[in-house]
Amino acid sequence: MLDMTLTKLKNQEFENVEKTCFDIESRLKGIGEIKSRNVFATAYLAYLVADNKLQNTKELSNYVETELSFEQSLFLKECIGNLWSVAIEIAHDYTVENLLATILWMPISNRRSEPNSETPESIVNLATRILNINNEKVADFCCGVGNFLINAIEQDKNSKYYGIEINTHYKEISNIRLNLISDYTEIEQGTVFDLNMDKKFDKIFCDYPWNILKHNTGINKEKLQEFESVVPEIKKVVKSDWLFIMNVERHLKSNGKAVVIATNGTTWNGGIDKKIRERFLKMGLIEAVISLPANLYSTTAIPVSMIVLSKSNKMVRMVDARSMASVGRRQNVLSNETIDQIVHMMTEDTENSKCVTFEEIEKEDFAINPSRFIYTEAEVENGIPFGNVITNITRGAQVKASILDEMVSDNPTDYQYLMLANIQNGIINDDLPFIKSIDKKLEKYCVKNNSLVISKNGTPAKVAVVSVPEERKVLANGNLYVIELDETKVNPYFVKAYLESENGGIALSRIMVGAVMPNIPVDGLKKIIIPCPEKDKQNKIAEKYLAKIDEIKVLKYKLSKAIAEMETIYEEG
């Protein structure tokens, strides 16, 4: 067991961990492909040598066989191979404290080729602060290599800790780590859905595997039926995200609190997700939602959300922390000061946080992503729903790349093809690719003059107005919405100018759905409010906008000409 406090050990040795890991890896030659678990196992064996004053590989092997569990012994043998002498060498070169710190805090999922097994320290620190653990029963569902539990023990060593992990290697790593620092831990191997429903906890943390299919979770029929009795819509889910969240809620005591890490899509996806969120809200199970910055994980750059669960909630606290990251060497982090700010925002309204009612959430189709409520559009003068001035809206043609290659013409024709890549800074390139002809089946995807095009995917949205000569036909591709406007009511360039403004950008961002690749749904697009003043005012703004487009085109021409001239200066000299 550890003699000094975890905080003291961390402050004293943490900076040396990376160097120690690098040294161990460099010595593990001959073991084949070296993974993080190989480095971990070697550090642990070296720690056993140093802590128990073992003299040689025979004594070390005997200690592993007699003093450790069969599962732990098997894990170490798999990871170290026949290089037991390396552990002896390392034990002679490092202190017990340095080796212990390496075991506890070395990164296990620091390579994108390895599956994610640990929650970033930033998220763990924030979760621990929000849960405020104090002499309670605490669980980590899908505990991975035990990062959350280590941090929680550092904050409160008197609580009883439980972890469950399906991966054999990660379970052993977690077990090794926690047994070194606490007598009050239990780590089991298995799926979280096998837990007896009578097992309840005061505090739960869960960073589950995102977006896996329901049939790959191993959830048994009885557990699924129990979930369905509370939330019937669970029966229809394809992906497992809400199964994991539901499982956490079912194992939470009546006065307990849980923190779950989910993809952003879980907070705003439509369909079944929307209906499940509605159920959770009406049952008072969601206390808060925190939008976290992108690139906090070492294995993925996508942003995630922290959902705080508890019972009998009447409102939901929304916190937008997306822009609060500090840029680290390999990934973003949340500094201690930032975590303090987020914890403060959990109790106070600020420019990045507020409490919202269920009625407000219902107006947003039961989406619970904070940006829907914190960054509201400014009141739009003479505002109308965008759909009121749309006469037709279609998605571009779904043309396979191989077919498109056959359609492309090297010579100018009366037919051209518009792709998302052809729109730069709100301007459509003059040199759209030519195509030989357009099949009659695809003519309905041709863009009419003065149509507005908006990118379906990605953020920020791209917006442009297409100018199509009478003798020309332009085919739009599938990543674009083509919108025909009632020009008796709105000037297309006026609408474009608004959608590219700060308020217009916020309006578009608030309707986007999807986690990895945000996209704009047609229904949401029709509902956003746009200004619709008198046509004279619209035309004046549109004229100014067109004048700036012409100015940009002239500048681009001058720039390209200057670059071309610069490349011939030597020959001219």
Side-chain angles (χ1 to χ4, degrees):
M1 286 297 298
L2 183 63
D3 292 328
M4 68 173 76
T5 65
L6 278 176
T7 302
K8 183 178 179 181
L9 176 68
K10 195 172 189 179
N11 293 338
Q12 178 179 303
E13 296 290 346
F14 188 76
E15 291 184 0
N16 299 321
V17 168
E18 185 174 1
K19 180 181 176 182
T20 306
C21 289
F22 181 79
D23 182 37
I24 293 174
E25 184 170 346
S26 68
R27 300 192 196 196
L28 287 175
K29 296 175 182 177
I31 202 172
E33 182 186 1
I34 299 173
K35 297 184 178 294
S36 298
R37 63 175 178 266
N38 304 123
V39 178
F40 174 87
T42 308
Y44 180 52
L45 288 169
Y47 168 79
L48 293 177
V49 171
D51 191 50
N52 295 282
K53 297 180 174 54
L54 306 178
Q55 299 301 313
N56 50 53
T57 57
K58 184 177 180 180
E59 290 186 13
L60 174 58
S61 178
N62 184 62
Y63 185 93
V64 169
E65 290 286 351
T66 59
E67 300 297 326
L68 304 183
S69 68
F70 172 77
E71 292 83 2
Q72 200 171 112
S73 173
L74 182 62
F75 165 71
L76 294 171
K77 290 175 183 177
E78 287 180 359
C79 292
I80 197 68
N82 61 355
L83 299 179
W84 294 78
S85 59
V86 176
I88 302 293
E89 295 171 7
I90 292 169
H92 291 157
D93 293 340
Y94 292 95
T95 65
V96 171
E97 291 76 17
N98 178 258
L99 292 170
L100 181 55
T102 301
I103 295 165
L104 294 176
W105 292 298
M106 70 165 284
I108 304 296
S109 295
N110 61 340
R111 311 167 196 204
R112 299 209 175 213
S113 61
E114 296 184 30
N116 185 49
S117 64
E118 57 190 339
T119 306
E121 185 178 10
S122 292
I123 295 179
V124 164
N125 287 339
L126 177 58
T128 307
R129 289 285 303 278
I130 290 173
L131 290 174
N132 191 26
I133 299 163
N134 184 19
N135 198 19
E136 296 170 300
K137 289 184 66 176
V138 182
D140 184 352
F141 290 177
C142 310
C143 69
V145 294
N147 285 29
F148 168 78
L149 294 171
I150 293 171
N151 189 281
I153 292 169
E154 183 179 353
Q155 302 303 317
D156 180 47
K157 63 181 181 181
N158 296 317
S159 289
K160 294 182 178 179
Y161 295 96
Y162 172 84
I164 183 167
E165 169 58 41
I166 195 170
N167 183 284
T168 303
H169 289 153
Y170 298 159
K171 179 260 180 181
E172 290 305 326
I173 291 173
S174 184
N175 207 26
I176 288 169
R177 285 174 154 177
L178 295 164
N179 284 339
L180 288 171
I181 60 175
S182 175
D183 289 326
Y184 305 105
T185 62
E186 178 188 1
I187 307 296
E188 287 188 334
Q189 182 175 355
T191 167
V192 293
F193 300 114
D194 288 339
L195 283 178
N196 190 298
M197 289 307 302
D198 293 333
K199 203 161 191 173
K200 304 286 185 179
F201 301 91
D202 299 293
K203 302 290 169 65
I204 301 175
F205 176 77
C206 181
D207 188 1
Y208 63 87
W210 309 318
N211 291 325
I212 65 173
L213 298 176
K214 177 170 71 175
H215 64 260
N216 290 333
T217 61
I219 187 169
N220 58 62
K221 185 178 180 181
E222 292 73 19
K223 178 66 71 76
L224 195 56
Q225 288 176 341
E226 200 277 336
F227 287 0
E228 291 168 6
S229 68
V230 180
V231 180
E233 292 79 8
I234 283 285
K235 183 178 183 179
K236 298 180 181 180
V237 298
V238 176
K239 293 186 178 179
S240 61
D241 297 70
W242 281 104
L243 291 176
F244 282 101
I245 298 171
M246 185 78 188
N247 187 62
V248 168
E249 186 277 326
R250 302 309 290 164
H251 287 283
L252 198 61
K253 290 184 179 180
S254 59
N255 60 344
K257 182 177 292 192
V259 166
V260 180
I261 310 302
T263 61
N264 286 348
T266 306
T267 70
W268 66 45
N269 283 339
I272 297 300
D273 280 22
K274 170 190 169 183
K275 294 178 180 179
I276 294 174
R277 287 194 304 268
E278 181 179 356
R279 291 272 188 185
F280 266 65
L281 288 164
K282 290 181 177 179
M283 290 189 292
L285 300 177
I286 300 178
E287 177 182 326
V289 181
I290 305 170
S291 291
L292 295 174
N295 202 33
L296 290 176
Y297 284 79
S298 63
T299 54
T300 179
I302 69 168
V304 295
S305 294
M306 181 177 283
I307 302 176
V308 183
L309 304 175
S310 58
K311 314 281 186 175
S312 305
N313 294 289
K314 304 298 182 183
M315 300 179 75
V316 179
R317 167 67 59 176
M318 299 289 180
V319 178
D320 191 343
R322 292 175 299 170
S323 62
M324 298 177 69
S326 300
V327 178
R329 188 170 54 173
R330 296 189 182 93
Q331 62 203 72
N332 291 335
V333 296
L334 299 175
S335 67
N336 291 333
E337 292 75 15
T338 295
I339 290 173
D340 288 340
Q341 292 175 20
I342 296 173
V343 171
H344 172 73
M345 288 191 290
M346 286 290 291
T347 57
E348 297 288 339
D349 286 356
T350 70
E351 63 179 9
N352 290 318
S353 65
K354 65 182 292 188
C355 265
V356 297
T357 63
F358 296 160
E359 289 75 20
E360 290 176 280
I361 297 173
E362 184 174 9
K363 290 178 182 178
E364 294 293 339
D365 288 333
F366 294 100
I368 54 173
N369 53 311
S371 63
R372 294 279 184 116
F373 307 94
I374 294 171
Y375 300 108
T376 56
E377 305 104 310
E379 187 173 342
V380 179
E381 187 177 355
N382 300 310
I384 60 170
F386 193 20
N388 287 10
V389 295
I390 295 175
T391 59
N392 188 43
I393 180 169
T394 60
R395 186 177 170 184
Q398 303 291 313
V399 182
K400 293 182 179 179
S402 58
I403 297 176
L404 182 61
D405 289 340
E406 296 175 1
M407 294 171 63
V408 171
S409 171
D410 294 330
N411 300 313
T413 68
D414 290 335
Y415 311 102
Q416 290 179 290
Y417 187 71
L418 174 61
M419 299 178 289
L420 186 60
N422 299 129
I423 303 173
Q424 299 294 329
N425 299 315
I427 301 174
I428 296 174
N429 297 342
D430 293 329
D431 54 346
L432 293 180
F434 289 99
I435 51 180
K436 299 169 187 174
S437 63
I438 297 177
D439 189 283
K440 285 188 177 181
K441 294 180 181 179
L442 296 178
E443 284 188 356
K444 62 182 178 182
Y445 300 108
C446 287
V447 183
K448 293 183 179 179
N449 186 47
N450 273 355
S451 291
L452 195 72
V453 291
I454 299 178
S455 57
K456 178 180 181 293
N457 301 318
T459 181
K462 288 186 175 183
V463 184
V465 176
V466 187
S467 179
V468 185
E470 286 187 12
E471 71 281 0
R472 191 73 50 84
K473 287 187 178 181
V474 176
L475 180 68
N477 88 333
N479 291 323
L480 292 168
Y481 286 129
V482 180
I483 301 171
E484 297 171 26
L485 298 171
D486 184 347
E487 293 186 50
T488 65
K489 295 179 181 178
V490 290
N491 185 308
Y493 284 97
F494 170 80
V495 176
K496 170 177 163 59
Y498 173 72
L499 293 177
E500 290 179 337
S501 70
E502 181 179 1
N503 288 335
I506 291 172
L508 288 173
S509 68
R510 290 178 71 244
I511 64 170
M512 288 184 176
V513 298
V516 179
M517 180 59 72
N519 63 86
I520 297 174
V522 172
D523 288 345
L525 190 60
K526 290 180 178 179
K527 289 179 181 178
I528 66 172
I529 303 299
I530 66 165
C532 189
E534 296 294 328
K535 280 295 294 290
D536 286 346
K537 184 175 181 180
Q538 292 186 41
N539 292 338
K540 287 179 182 179
I541 292 174
E543 287 170 8
K544 289 182 179 180
Y545 194 91
L546 282 166
K548 285 298 177 185
I549 289 179
D550 290 339
E551 184 180 338
I552 291 170
K553 287 182 176 180
V554 170
L555 291 172
K556 287 175 68 176
Y557 170 75
K558 288 182 177 180
L559 177 61
S560 61
K561 183 180 178 182
I563 291 173
E565 291 172 349
M566 183 172 63
E567 293 171 350
T568 62
I569 286 176
Y570 178 78
E571 286 80 2
E572 292 174 358

